[in-house]
Amino acid sequence: MRAANPLGPGVAAEQAHAGALQKAVQDVEAGRPVDVQDIVREARQLGEAYDEVRAAPLGAPDNPLVELRPSDIERVLVERGPVREKDGEIQVR
């Protein structure tokens, strides 16, 4: 039975876990204290960012850095085709 990855499921977590293990081995071989904190922190931050985007793909409506402009919608229409309105929200097919 394989132990669960402490960084979570998914390819990015597996890559981070493998990188942390490799760094730990290098640290031990070089006689340094094992320090994989940066790798673990980055993996967790990426996981949190991914979850945030999945929960709100358009971003938080109160975030001033997130803005969907009409030109963005027009670009999607050209690339993806017509729009349907459902419950007052734009949906691109």
Side-chain angles (χ1 to χ4, degrees):
M1 186 169 133
R2 186 170 178 219
N5 183 344
L7 299 177
V11 174
E14 289 292 329
Q15 290 174 336
H17 191 232
L21 287 173
Q22 182 179 13
K23 169 89 168 55
V25 168
Q26 290 170 350
D27 286 348
V28 168
E29 288 176 343
R32 296 185 301 258
V34 173
D35 181 13
V36 295
Q37 183 176 2
D38 290 342
I39 295 171
V40 171
R41 182 183 311 114
E42 182 180 357
R44 289 199 173 130
Q45 288 173 340
L46 284 173
E48 290 169 6
Y50 179 78
D51 291 343
E52 187 176 321
V53 169
R54 294 271 300 167
L58 296 179
D62 59 345
N63 184 342
L65 299 177
V66 177
E67 180 182 351
L68 184 61
R69 291 178 236 102
S71 62
D72 297 327
I73 295 172
E74 290 168 11
R75 199 167 30 246
V76 169
L77 291 176
V78 169
E79 292 178 17
R80 297 225 177 146
V83 173
R84 294 180 300 175
E85 200 170 307
K86 181 177 178 186
D87 300 327
E89 294 186 17
I90 295 173
Q91 294 194 345
V92 179
R93 284 193 245 160

